Amino acid sequence: MTWHVLGAGALGSLWATRLARAGIPVRMILRSAQRLVDYQWAGGLTLSEAGHASLHAIPAELPDAATPIQRLLVACKAYDAEAAIAPLAQRLTPNCEILLLQNGLGSQQAIAERWPQARCIFVSSTEGAYRDGPMHVVFAGHGQNWLGDSGGGNAPAWLEDLDRAGIPHIWSTNILARLWRKLALNCAINPLTVLHDCRNGELLQHRQQLSELCEELTELLTACDQAAAAEDLEREVRRVIEATAANYSSMYQDVRLGRRTEIAYLLGHACRSADSLGLAVPRLHELHRRLREHLSQRGLPTD
Ligand code: NAP
């Protein structure tokens, strides 16, 4: 069974290179003919890990290739994922599986609704990777991948491929709780690091603000039937801030580098979910407004 990997960015390359070096069939799907030329020129994907670089000549193709797709790993940003799958729709087999690596929530549900014949597996990853050149990925931080099917169902047999490839993974029977928890942590920490222009640790000087946000996020998670994800949220937020005190958040780094953020699938999703439930979350809305204003002033998309 071939793994088709859509998006040769940081995480897509990290998954593809580990699968390929374990001898598992992988094909990259790139967005344009120019990207394919760049890819062929580079000779494939280079993975840098613990100071050692290795080149992997993984076959690559364009979305309009003819071969059917049984298993698709979508490694685009949340705002690109649905549009990136659309040109592949004719190639998806009736019982195909789509693994969604996107951060936040909202993009996964949109994809699951649009392609109901597919089994959509949501993934929450704490692994870290970044691109330091075209077709070159650096494995920056070991972590974990939780995989789960929001529609229920058993763990798939192909998790063995991940074992063989050394990709850490845990099958989760409540993947939505995990994604909501991560989203809540992100909403409490990341926007404030952008607005206060600071490292994570400096947020401990804004305890009152953190505490008020955690209160609203806890109400929201509970209203969304995610009480388990809401448990001890404020304490977990403080723990994460302390453990990552010297780091700049991913959103901070995106803004600093002039890159589009995934705000619509993080704080934006939290605000939309509250609105649809008729739940008042004034502090989250105010944070969302200020963050969007900040992005707009820097010429960055606010969605
Ligand atoms: P990334 O490096 O920007 O990679 C995204 C890739 O998607 C790019 O190569 C982009 O191609 C490609 N793409 C976009 N539209 C496409 C299309 N229509 N067809 C084909 N390819 C397309 O992003 P990332 O850091 O890997 O993040 C991917 C997701 O994983 C995000 O939701 C992120 O939050 C999540 N995540 C990332 C990490 C991490 O450490 N990087 C950790 C946890 C979760 P171009 O190069 O042509 O633009």
Side-chain angles (χ1 to χ4, degrees):
M1 183 75 71
T2 299
W3 287 71
H4 284 88
V5 178
L6 179 60
L11 223 49
S13 302
L14 183 62
W15 278 64
T17 51
R18 289 181 295 181
L19 288 165
R21 75 181 173 193
I24 295 159
V26 183
R27 294 187 74 80
M28 305 304 299
I29 303 177
L30 306 178
R31 68 156 92 220
S32 65
Q34 184 55 53
R35 280 282 188 277
L36 191 55
V37 169
D38 296 344
Y39 184 87
Q40 280 154 356
W41 177 251
L45 294 171
T46 299
L47 170 69
S48 283
E49 191 181 10
H52 175 256
S54 53
L55 176 65
H56 302 267
I58 299 169
E61 63 193 31
L62 291 176
D64 63 3
T67 46
I69 297 173
Q70 173 69 48
R71 185 172 311 130
L72 180 68
L73 177 73
V74 182
C76 307
K77 297 281 195 184
Y79 47 75
D80 280 330
E82 185 181 350
I85 298 172
L88 306 174
Q90 300 304 319
R91 299 175 57 192
L92 299 175
T93 62
N95 57 348
C96 71
E97 291 158 310
I98 304 182
L99 281 82
L100 298 163
L101 287 178
Q102 288 62 49
N103 203 0
L105 280 164
S107 67
Q108 303 92 330
Q109 287 86 345
I111 289 163
E113 273 170 34
R114 182 157 169 191
W115 291 285
Q117 81 277 22
R119 182 183 192 195
C120 287
I121 309 275
F122 299 0
V123 185
S124 177
S125 178
T126 58
E127 293 196 292
Y130 64 88
R131 290 193 270 183
D132 75 343
M135 313 305 165
H136 193 158
V137 61
V138 178
F139 191 1
H142 290 269
Q144 187 56 269
N145 297 289
W146 284 269
L147 292 84
D149 179 346
S150 67
N154 295 331
W158 49 255
L159 289 180
E160 276 177 20
D161 282 2
L162 305 189
D163 285 330
R164 273 172 63 197
I167 298 176
H169 61 92
I170 293 173
W171 181 254
S172 167
T173 52
N174 193 356
I175 191 67
L176 281 179
R178 192 155 285 282
L179 285 162
W180 266 112
R181 179 78 160 186
K182 192 172 177 207
L183 180 148
L185 290 167
N186 186 301
C187 288
I189 299 172
N190 293 25
L192 288 182
T193 62
V194 174
L195 294 173
H196 290 298
D197 189 15
C198 68
R199 294 176 198 263
N200 291 357
E202 289 164 54
L203 292 184
L204 293 175
Q205 294 161 22
H206 304 278
R207 275 173 198 263
Q208 179 70 16
Q209 209 175 4
L210 280 173
S211 180
E212 288 168 355
L213 286 174
C214 287
E215 200 177 303
E216 285 193 359
L217 286 163
T218 300
E219 280 174 32
L220 172 62
L221 295 185
T222 309
C224 292
D225 283 335
Q226 297 295 336
E231 224 168 89
D232 270 340
L233 181 64
E234 187 173 350
R235 194 185 311 176
E236 174 80 349
V237 165
R238 269 209 305 275
R239 190 196 64 74
V240 170
I241 289 175
E242 281 162 8
T244 61
N247 298 359
Y248 287 108
S249 74
S250 54
M251 191 179 276
Y252 179 98
Q253 293 178 46
D254 281 343
V255 174
R256 184 117 199 210
L257 295 170
R259 291 194 300 229
R260 183 173 177 182
T261 69
E262 295 181 299
I263 174 180
Y265 303 88
L266 297 159
L267 192 49
H269 184 81
C271 290
R272 277 193 308 278
S273 301
D275 289 350
S276 70
L277 292 165
L279 179 73
V281 287
R283 293 192 176 88
L284 287 173
H285 274 299
E286 176 59 11
L287 185 65
H288 192 211
R289 188 195 64 72
R290 285 176 54 210
L291 184 60
R292 292 171 71 207
E293 191 176 274
H294 185 94
L295 296 175
S296 167
Q297 282 164 359
R298 278 152 191 77
L300 291 171
T302 57
D303 60 355

